[in-house]
Amino acid sequence: MATATARPPSAAACPGCVATPTEPARPIPEDVQLALSLPTIHCQACISKVERALNAVPGVQSARVNLTLKRAMIQAEPEMRADALIPVLKAEGFEAHELDAGALSVTGSDKAGRELLMRLAVAGFASMNVMLLSVSVWSGATDATRDMFHWISAAIALPAIAFAGKPFFESAWSALRVRRLNMDVPIVLAIVLALVTSLWETALSGEHAYFDAALTLVFFLLAGRYLDHRTRAIARSAAQELSALEVPRALRIEDGVEHEVAVADLRVGDLIRVRPGGRMPVDGEIVEGQSELDRSLLTGETVPVYAEPGTSVSAGEVNLTGPLTIRASAVGSDTSLHQMADLVAVAESGRSRYTSLADSAAKLYAPGVHILSALSFVGWYLYSGDLRSALNIAAAVLIITCPCALGLAVPAVTTAASGRLFRKGMLIKHSTALERLAEIDTVVFDKTGTLTQGTPELTNLDGIPHEIASIAVGLAGASSHPLSRAVTQAAEAAGIKPAEVSDVTEVPGFGTQGMLNGQTVRFGRAAWVGAEQGVHTAAWLSVDGADPVEFQFNDALRPGAEEAVSSLIASGKQVILMSGDTTGAVQALAERLGIADWLAEALPQDKAARIAEMTEKGQRVLMVGDGLNDTAALTAAHVSISPATALDAARVASDIVLLGTDLSPIAEACDVAKKATRRIRENFRIATVYNVIAVPLAVAGLATPLIAALAMSTSSITVSLNALRLR
Amino acid sequence: MEVISFLIPISLFLGAVGLIAFVYTVRSNQYDDPEGDARRILNDEWDDKPKP
């Protein structure tokens, strides 16, 4: 597994590592084969119980629990399967899910984060030392002592900045190479100019050296970078965990025997067994078996479709009742599931590139600073004719205006806001998602699986005679079909006992039948029991000779859907419902939730086109959807949200993932996003105020390293504290 | 003022020790599971002898 080996074996690229004792990093087991997600563990007792239980299983070499990630990594013999370990943990009382160790590999060792932390530590160490030396200079050291202190500062600052400032140098260089300015260009210019003039001053035993300012600048900016990186790393690891929960395996039939293989190993023409409840791994044609298919994630239809030999199936559909054998006709990237990706690519190219607040601030700021400092250099050079003092003043202007606070302004706020939303069950995946969320004025919802749970709910139980209902419950109990489960649930809630039905058998694709007092009873599709299919989703119960009785179903609303919709409407946003489901179903739901604007039987292209059209009219659209048919729309929208139950493709396409089942945080997220954006702007303003006060001093040649240090630290701290008000 | 010729190297050395110690903790994955490690120390399972 690539978990641990992603790190180069000898990471001696950094000076800090050369100084490290030669002891190698604690070896993370290189062949971690299994990863389990343990959502319920929370204490020391859980850790030892889980580890003891797992280590006791023969074949397990070692198991280690990570409580922070709520995960267990298990090193085991090659033939060990997670299915064998999950029951062991269940017996101990822990819920466990298998994670795809391959999909987790990137989170295993967060190399970039570690590197940033190392640079932050070096910058912190160096700036503290240099600051101490500078304090003694400010408090009156003179002559040879001052020169010595300056030389020592230089000896610390130069290597420390060369190492710690590398991200800024790289980013500034890559911007300059394409002839553009970003925030890092003035930063790098300030650092380099400060070092050069300070060295020059020191060599001439001058009074002012800015080594401490250059280092503190790097330290504060790295702190901002690190915060930013950590927020995104947390979101990424949680998003990866969601995808890792879907382990891509399939049952291939070879010579009449089922073998479990990875989906990536399937080939066209393979025979694949799909058990009830399983998802189609590939596109293909049914060769054996009868069942019903749930296509809701692909098309938005809630009513299951009948399937028999000859029916073609697409990857992503869920098999409901009977086992099916399919012959693969397209695998991997040729499947219809992947072809949807082309549609997403088209939508992506149409998405207007959003400029983040930080970038637009940098665009205003960078040229201004450069011009100001160049002007003060030219002015002082013409006035005094002294190159040295003119250069000194130019450096002071650059350092004082340097965007220390600007560099912290955005990451500090997004960290605070993302942390708050994460506790509410929202995962901010994209770095500018919050800023974009703050701008929206239109919200588009998908129906099936987003506003509704995608599971049916029995609606007319009150209108059905008690004895008929109890027969239905007796038959439904034997089936795992969603409609049957809905009947069982509704009956339990109403306290209806199942009738004693004997010889219950499930006829895949049709329904269940059994014997009651010598009569055949059937519960299933309209055509099978001899009834007329209406507009509703329905199942029918027939007792020999009598008229069939209709059981009507409705798609159950997701918790919080009503609150989310009504508070979005109340805050003045236009709410639209777009679904691939039938007109009747969509209209009923729209009326129930009070949504005036709805679109039914929409193809994926239609959804994306409608959103693109609204965007063109200047509307900012938030798309909330979960299905494969929504991915193009999710990408086309200004910002997008998908629930955790969504298909992987939809989650990847969206900026924000809802972790819980509840939809109500959406409205709150909009408020938090607005507040966060306001806070970011406030931070920019605070930073500007500090500049407005300090810059005239610098231009007038009155700035000293002490003033620079004070301005830099106070503005950075004010900005961070302002951001913390969001928590 | 001769004393600073000792004091400065000593303070730099102590600072460097701290930095190296920090680098060592980062490189040996000691920040991977802060919550779990905080709890593990309360475990009395291997109090008598170290885990083999």
Side-chain angles (χ1 to χ4, degrees):
Chain A
M1 279 293 103
T3 315
T5 47
R7 189 154 23 95
S10 146
C14 51
C17 318
V18 180
T20 337
T22 45
E23 180 177 344
R26 187 202 296 169
I28 315 171
E30 271 189 25
D31 46 344
V32 166
Q33 281 159 342
L34 300 168
L36 293 177
S37 164
L38 305 162
T40 53
I41 58 166
H42 61 277
C43 67
Q44 164 52 32
C46 308
I47 299 181
S48 15
K49 248 167 119 182
V50 168
E51 285 184 353
R52 216 175 302 137
L54 287 176
N55 281 320
V57 176
V60 172
Q61 278 152 6
S62 74
R64 190 171 171 91
V65 172
N66 185 327
L67 184 65
T68 317
L69 298 170
K70 296 198 188 292
R71 221 179 254 172
M73 301 302 267
I74 299 139
Q75 197 186 351
E77 269 149 31
E79 60 274 11
M80 197 72 190
R81 288 263 171 275
D83 307 348
L85 298 176
I86 290 172
V88 173
L89 292 178
K90 202 155 265 171
E92 295 281 331
F94 295 104
E95 185 185 339
H97 306 282
E98 185 181 4
L99 291 170
D100 183 11
L104 288 176
S105 62
V106 199
T107 13
S109 67
D110 178 9
K111 201 176 146 223
R114 205 173 269 212
E115 214 163 72
L116 264 180
L117 193 61
M118 209 82 91
R119 291 182 203 281
L120 186 65
V122 169
F125 157 78
S127 64
M128 273 189 283
N129 278 294
V130 172
M131 193 54 87
L132 274 181
L133 293 166
S134 299
V135 168
S136 35
V137 171
W138 297 334
S139 38
T142 48
D143 307 326
T145 323
R146 187 179 64 202
D147 285 350
M148 185 181 73
F149 282 176
H150 279 171
W151 280 119
I152 298 174
S153 306
I156 301 172
L158 289 176
I161 287 182
F163 170 62
K166 203 173 147 223
F168 306 111
F169 299 142
E170 276 171 357
S171 145
W173 172 240
S174 64
L176 283 177
R177 222 175 14 193
V178 292
R179 289 160 196 283
R180 279 182 51 205
L181 283 180
N182 62 6
M183 200 70 117
D184 288 330
V185 176
I187 293 173
V188 167
L189 194 66
I191 293 173
V192 169
L193 199 58
L195 288 181
V196 168
T197 56
S198 304
L199 268 181
W200 194 8
E201 281 289 297
T202 309
L204 297 172
S205 42
E207 200 185 336
H208 296 319
Y210 288 100
F211 294 117
D212 61 301
L215 270 170
T216 340
L217 185 68
V218 171
F219 176 70
F220 277 125
L221 289 170
L222 277 174
R225 291 282 153 103
Y226 183 65
L227 276 183
D228 194 40
H229 177 86
R230 229 187 45 156
T231 321
R232 260 183 289 167
I234 291 171
R236 211 177 23 234
S237 114
Q240 263 176 1
E241 180 147 340
L242 284 177
S243 4
L245 277 171
E246 293 163 12
V247 183
R249 297 237 176 87
L251 292 174
R252 181 160 64 190
I253 303 179
E254 292 160 13
D255 307 323
V257 190
E258 289 177 10
H259 288 283
E260 199 178 67
V261 296
V263 168
D265 294 336
L266 293 177
R267 297 283 168 267
V268 170
D270 279 351
L271 287 178
I272 297 148
R273 171 71 43 87
V274 183
R275 296 199 180 124
R279 188 165 279 172
M280 302 291 162
V282 293
D283 285 3
E285 198 185 81
I286 298 175
V287 289
E288 200 187 317
Q290 281 175 340
S291 179
E292 282 182 297
L293 298 175
D294 178 358
R295 292 192 155 148
S296 62
L297 276 173
L298 278 91
T299 60
E301 291 169 72
T302 37
V303 187
V305 187
Y306 174 65
E308 58 183 352
T311 312
S312 56
V313 295
S314 319
E317 294 176 350
V318 177
N319 180 16
L320 290 177
T321 38
L324 291 176
T325 306
I326 60 172
R327 184 182 299 282
S329 63
V331 296
S333 55
D334 297 327
T335 58
S336 50
L337 206 143
H338 274 267
Q339 273 161 16
M340 201 70 93
D342 299 342
L343 208 58
V344 173
V346 172
E348 195 137 61
S349 66
R351 184 186 224 172
S352 58
R353 287 189 63 86
Y354 176 80
T355 338
S356 71
L357 281 174
D359 281 350
S360 43
K363 225 177 257 169
L364 275 176
Y365 173 89
V369 170
H370 290 155
I371 291 168
L372 196 63
S373 125
L375 279 182
S376 44
F377 174 78
V378 171
W380 274 93
Y381 186 62
L382 290 180
Y383 172 74
S384 66
D386 182 5
L387 183 71
R388 180 177 151 200
S389 66
L391 200 61
N392 236 328
I393 286 167
V397 170
L398 266 183
I399 285 190
I400 283 201
T401 52
C402 208
C404 213
L406 289 184
L408 273 173
V410 179
V413 172
T414 35
T415 307
S418 311
R420 179 167 163 184
L421 287 177
F422 191 71
R423 283 195 296 277
K424 300 265 175 221
M426 292 189 106
L427 193 64
I428 314 292
K429 276 176 54 198
H430 200 276
S431 54
T432 60
L434 276 175
E435 293 171 21
R436 285 181 277 139
L437 186 62
E439 292 181 344
I440 55 139
D441 52 18
T442 311
V443 186
V444 177
F445 281 102
D446 169 49
K447 185 180 89 72
T448 320
T450 306
L451 280 177
T452 67
Q453 287 180 326
T455 49
E457 189 183 53
L458 184 59
T459 50
N460 65 339
L461 188 61
D462 299 337
I464 295 169
H466 199 279
E467 56 272 27
I468 298 283
S470 72
I471 299 172
V473 179
L475 285 167
S479 162
S480 63
H481 191 278
L483 294 186
S484 300
R485 267 187 298 194
V487 170
T488 320
Q489 266 171 18
E492 250 170 44
I496 297 173
K497 294 262 176 303
E500 296 280 327
V501 186
S502 56
D503 300 331
V504 180
T505 48
E506 183 159 16
V507 187
F510 294 103
T512 24
Q513 67 176 5
M515 301 294 287
L516 181 77
N517 307 331
Q519 287 176 308
T520 308
V521 285
R522 285 176 160 184
F523 183 58
R525 289 188 159 260
W528 186 49
V529 298
E532 195 81 8
Q533 175 68 43
V535 287
H536 288 281
T537 308
W540 300 75
L541 181 84
S542 78
V543 182
D544 247 354
D547 275 343
V549 180
E550 187 183 23
F551 285 69
Q552 288 178 358
F553 297 90
N554 208 339
D555 207 355
L557 271 188
R558 202 180 255 273
E562 270 168 284
E563 289 94 321
V565 169
S566 59
S567 60
L568 284 171
I569 294 177
S571 65
K573 296 184 177 68
Q574 187 188 355
V575 177
I576 300 172
L577 179 64
M578 265 187 218
S579 173
D581 208 355
T582 54
T583 310
V586 178
Q587 186 177 12
L589 184 81
E591 277 164 9
R592 188 159 151 205
L593 291 173
I595 301 175
D597 200 348
W598 52 269
L599 182 71
E601 289 170 46
L603 294 174
Q605 299 88 299
D606 300 342
K607 291 189 178 189
R610 177 83 190 271
I611 286 178
E613 186 187 310
M614 287 193 287
T615 311
E616 224 149 82
K617 274 193 270 166
Q619 283 170 290
R620 304 282 189 189
V621 184
L622 162 66
M623 171 80 201
V624 190
D626 77 316
L628 203 54
N629 55 339
D630 299 316
T631 41
L634 286 169
T635 317
H638 193 51
V639 57
S640 46
I641 300 181
S642 66
T645 49
L647 267 193
D648 202 23
R651 280 201 311 263
V652 169
S654 55
D655 301 305
I656 300 171
V657 176
L658 263 179
L659 294 174
T661 46
D662 197 344
L663 277 185
S664 54
I666 291 182
E668 199 193 327
C670 294
D671 289 342
V672 173
K674 265 201 191 129
K675 259 188 223 148
T677 322
R678 205 180 311 138
R679 218 49 99 217
I680 290 176
R681 287 181 202 281
E682 250 169 46
N683 276 348
F684 283 150
R685 244 171 270 142
I686 292 175
T688 317
V689 167
Y690 275 105
N691 278 346
V692 166
I693 296 171
V695 164
L697 288 178
V699 174
L702 296 173
T704 61
L706 177 61
I707 292 183
L710 282 179
M712 196 142 49
S713 318
T714 34
S715 67
S716 299
I717 291 168
T718 337
V719 161
S720 313
L721 289 179
N722 187 40
L724 283 180
R725 290 203 292 146
L726 255 182
R727 281 188 85 85
Chain B
M1 282 308 269
E2 287 79 35
V3 72
I4 57 169
S5 57
F6 298 106
L7 285 182
I8 290 178
I10 290 175
S11 72
L12 286 180
F13 171 74
L14 289 178
V17 168
L19 179 67
I20 290 172
F22 177 75
V23 168
Y24 164 73
T25 58
V26 173
R27 285 171 56 78
S28 55
N29 305 319
Q30 295 188 27
Y31 299 96
D32 280 2
D33 183 15
E35 228 175 285
D37 290 340
R39 313 254 181 172
R40 268 173 208 276
I41 199 164
L42 303 174
N43 185 355
D44 53 8
E45 214 172 326
W46 300 103
D47 277 2
D48 305 332
K49 51 181 190 331
K51 194 172 177 177

